[in-house]
Amino acid sequence: MNALSLKNYRRITVKIGSALLVDRKTGLKRDWLASLADDIGALAANGAEILVVSSGAIALGRTMLGLERKALKLEESQAAAAVGQIALAGAWAQALGQHRLTSGQILLTLGDTEERRRYLNARATISTLLKMKAVPVINENDTVATSEIRYGDNDRLAARVATMMGADLLVLLSDIDGLYTAPPVQDPKAKFIPVVERITPDIEAMAGAAASELSRGGMRTKLDAGKIATGAGAAMIITDGTRQSPLLAIERGERATLFLPGRHPVKGYKTWIAGQLEPAGQLSVDEGAVKALLSGKSLLPAGVRQVTGNFSRGDTVAILAPGNREIARGLVAYDAADAVRIAGLKTTEIEAVLGYEARSAMIHRDDLVVNGNGIEI
């Protein structure tokens, strides 16, 4: 099986960056969009379900409003998004309509994927669109998002969407054709990496910053996306989206980096926990707790050495092994203040400190997602 052939995947999430869709002088790149729609039409005709995560609302809106090339204030970005989103949705509807495909617009905020009830509602809406053979076109709701409540980049949003919808492939169309041992612009000797079996710290060290003024993400955010997607059992491809028909280019064997799915993917309820983008806090644990977690046990207060963050009971927190390696995430059973008070205590000592009979586990194993190699979620 050729893992790079898109024909082998039943549900594909495709992420498009702003710089691919929008020229800062001339606006929307309609010819390029038409070529991508051709690719999507061909995949849909072959039986695949396609989800599109499309950047470009702010970039398109600022061009339409004549905003100068400068950093925008928050209210200017939101205004640009309001203008650009209408034009972007219309362009997608027209391009996909050429292939008798209906598109549906979905605008998400961070809370729509981080809060369980809203997560399930968003998933149900998108699932219904797919059942109706429509192509969901998804973007962050930039008209209301602020720096405190945003995804920050559409790479991670796309990974979150892919895991939420059970996609088996995430394609990140970028201005680079894959992963290199170093940013090739900075290091001409950088070597291309065709396949990544696992995202290790060495792989993460190869990441550079964003290459485009229109982009918020760089290779680092793509690797963050890869950790989310592969951890849920999806493959991921990073490839050059600047060429015409970029998905067909993958089929032709043009350069792309394939990230293999995780060997022990997270499923169901725990997919939501593992995919949380911004944990509300951190619990640093000792080696004894690490061994217990890796053997499938709950996290007890006795193994917690430090509590960081202002979280509430039921929030997602990251669990750090010695050396600050993130080895797990879970829904914590205590507010931060009580977690601080009982950290390091034996189960039999908790009631005397808190004044009531409480749960024995800081995080129960049913609410816990452990990364077996201790390197990435």
Side-chain angles (χ1 to χ4, degrees), residues 343-354:
L345 297 184
K346 296 179 180 179
T347 302
T348 54
E349 300 172 326
I350 296 176
E351 184 176 357
V353 172
L354 297 183

Side-chain angles (χ1 to χ4, degrees), residues 281-352:
Q282 298 176 333
L283 302 178
S284 298
V285 302
D286 59 24
E287 289 290 358
V290 172
K291 292 179 181 178
L293 293 173
L294 295 180
S295 66
K297 297 180 180 178
S298 300
L299 175 63
L300 302 180
V304 178
R305 290 292 170 258
Q306 184 176 358
V307 177
T308 306
N310 183 23
F311 51 82
S312 300
R313 176 182 173 183
D315 283 346
T316 300
V317 297
I319 301 173
L320 307 182
N324 289 325
R325 294 176 299 136
E326 182 176 328
I327 63 162
R329 291 187 184 183
L331 306 183
V332 67
Y334 292 92
D335 293 341
D338 285 346
V340 169
R341 295 172 67 191
I342 65 174
L345 297 184
K346 296 179 180 179
T347 302
T348 54
E349 300 172 326
I350 296 176
E351 184 176 357

Side-chain angles (χ1 to χ4, degrees), residues 17 26-27 42 49 58-59 66 86 177 184 227 250 252 265 268 270 308 344:
T26 61
E49 296 177 326
I58 293 177
I86 291 177
D177 55 9
K227 290 191 287 185
I250 298 173
R252 290 197 301 264
K270 292 193 175 184
T308 306

Side-chain angles (χ1 to χ4, degrees), residues 142-155:
D142 289 309
T143 59
V144 298
T146 65
S147 59
E148 292 81 14
I149 56 169
R150 70 178 310 124
Y151 297 94
D153 61 87
N154 270 3
D155 293 322

Side-chain angles (χ1 to χ4, degrees), residues 35-104:
S35 77
L36 177 61
D38 291 344
D39 292 354
I40 293 173
L43 289 169
N46 197 47
E49 296 177 326
I50 310 298
L51 302 95
V52 172
V53 176
S54 176
S55 303
I58 293 177
L60 182 57
R62 69 184 294 169
T63 300
M64 296 172 68
L65 291 170
L67 295 174
E68 297 179 1
R69 182 179 172 182
K70 63 175 183 177
L72 299 182
K73 298 177 182 177
L74 173 61
E75 60 271 22
E76 291 174 331
S77 292
Q78 292 174 329
V83 172
Q85 196 61 59
I86 291 177
L88 188 63
W92 274 108
Q94 182 180 24
L96 292 172
Q98 297 296 315
H99 300 275
R100 297 184 179 180
L101 292 173
T102 300
S103 61

